[in-house]
Amino acid sequence: MDFQKVIDEYLKWIKDNTVVKTIEEGNVCAVTTPFLDRHNDHIDIYVVKQGNNIKLTDDGYTIADLKMSGLEMNTSKRESILKTTLNGFGVNLNGNDELYVEANSFNIGQKKHALIQAILTVNDMFNLASDIVQSLFKEDVEMYFKANDIYYSKDIKIAGRTGYDHNFDFLVSATRTKPERLIKTVNTPKKETALATITAFNDIIRETKPRNFVIYNDQDKNVNSDFLGALSSYGIFSIPWGERDRFKFEFSLN
């Protein structure tokens, strides 16, 4: 399998499906990306020239949309998880609920990538019905690991061949009988998430050959077969939350 071709096609898909519109000549432009938010609308970011620097921002849309949907950042737990998530991507949050990064002409591609990934992650984190799921999905997985003596490292950042960094939720170390295991959690399984996940796993540089896993939330969801099929095609193992007892076998020290 030509993994470089997968990455090349992914980057071409991004380029071919990105639209740039000038708002203020020489100072502000809007970038419509091919990535979809939880409403299946394309994610827009804005590029603002500030002297010799560049600001990339969501103009406050991501958090405002969550608040309009009834989800307030009004608990220390939610604020802490949001802050930790944004820090993992190097993304800032200001008092106007604006997600943004500062960039320059040398790192604007990396910064744009980080901002988009942060927006997708925040969308995914809070795309939950509070009366069904009481805590965020990633935290549920972590709590299960702790309760069942599954030892892990979390929030792992690994550099890719493309020069982009990729975040992985958990890493379970290799044992005598099992290889290192890298894990991404996905609350909303859909085709776009699968494409980004495949690229992340196949782009990273590791001396060892880890076994790659996705743990996805299947509670009260119709999981798209395209999501599962895409992961399987690239050798990524998927485990639904409803079958989480499999964690004891896949991620144990034995």
Side-chain angles (χ1 to χ4, degrees), residues 202-217:
N202 288 330
D203 186 36
I204 60 171
I205 304 168
R206 300 291 280 176
E207 292 181 4
T208 59
K209 291 185 177 180
R211 185 172 292 172
N212 301 325
F213 285 88
V214 165
I215 297 172
Y216 65 93
N217 191 358

Side-chain angles (χ1 to χ4, degrees), residues 17-41:
N17 292 278
T18 297
V19 178
V20 179
K21 179 181 179 181
T22 299
I23 296 178
E24 183 181 329
E25 190 66 41
N27 291 311
V28 183
C29 70
V31 180
T32 300
T33 77
F35 298 98
L36 304 179
D37 65 15
R38 61 202 184 92
H39 305 295
N40 286 324
D41 293 326

Side-chain angles (χ1 to χ4, degrees), residues 8 21 23 28 35 44 54 69 72 79 85 125 134 136 174 187 189 201 215 250:
D8 290 344
K21 179 181 179 181
I23 296 178
V28 183
F35 298 98
D44 290 333
I54 301 165
S69 300
E72 294 286 343
E79 288 177 353
T85 298
M125 279 171 51
Q134 297 301 317
L136 301 176
N187 179 60
F201 277 126
I215 297 172
E250 299 287 1

